[in-house]
Amino acid sequence: MRVHLGSDHAGLDLKNHLVDWLTEHGYEPVDHGPFVYDALDDYPVFCLRAAEGVKKDRDAGLDSLGVVIGGSGNGEQIAANKVEGIRCALAWSEDTAKLARQHNDAQVVSVGGRMHSLSDMTRFVELFLAEPFSEDERHARRIGQLSVYDADGTLPPLPESAQGLGPDA
């Protein structure tokens, strides 16, 4: 499996660690940078490229996922989610890393380099990469609703339990 990586200065050490870890564990890392420490670098430059790499690979039928890394992981997640068709989830625990794949079929995971230990973050990535999408109908349905909204802005219909309530009533 190919794994695209992007970060900012706050995630540089973890990204460099992951490039080696991925290689040792049989993955093909693709490092989109940064390659040197620059405290003023901008995460979108690197994280958008990592997410675009995942999208291009998957569109070509290749097995590919991505990892974006920053201080908190929040901005990096937002950046990756700007790439059409990409779902990026922020992992802050083993469970959130697994559920990102299992329930959300996320293709990219974001982790905060200043939020956890190196071993914990490596474990989150390991679990994310190993976990398959469950293909459960309810999860596929929810992802489908998001895809339709992305494509044309159509909101999902309100369920019967919400009909006549709230601002859409």
Side-chain angles (χ1 to χ4, degrees), residues 13 17 33 51 57 76 94 101 105 109 119 132 148-149 152 162 165:
D13 289 340
H17 162 77
D57 279 355
E76 296 72 22
E94 290 187 7
R101 291 283 307 132
D105 198 19
V109 67
S119 63
V148 168
Y149 183 80
D152 64 15
L165 305 172

Side-chain angles (χ1 to χ4, degrees), residues 53-118:
V54 172
K55 179 175 176 27
K56 287 177 186 172
D57 279 355
R58 293 176 76 89
D59 286 351
L62 299 173
D63 192 15
S64 180
L65 292 171
V67 180
V68 292
I69 310 144
S72 69
N74 284 314
E76 296 72 22
Q77 175 197 30
I78 292 168
N81 277 314
K82 295 296 182 184
V83 175
E84 184 179 343
I86 290 294
R87 287 179 302 283
C88 180
L90 178 63
W92 68 89
S93 68
E94 290 187 7
D95 286 339
T96 59
K98 290 189 289 188
L99 289 170
R101 291 283 307 132
Q102 193 178 83
H103 289 190
N104 307 112
D105 198 19
Q107 308 99 330
V108 179
V109 67
S110 183
V111 292
R114 294 180 177 155
M115 303 289 115
H116 308 279
S117 69
L118 185 68

Side-chain angles (χ1 to χ4, degrees), residues 1 7 41 48 92 113 127 141 169:
M1 176 191 296
S7 73
D41 65 9
L48 286 168
W92 68 89
L127 292 169
R141 181 181 68 243

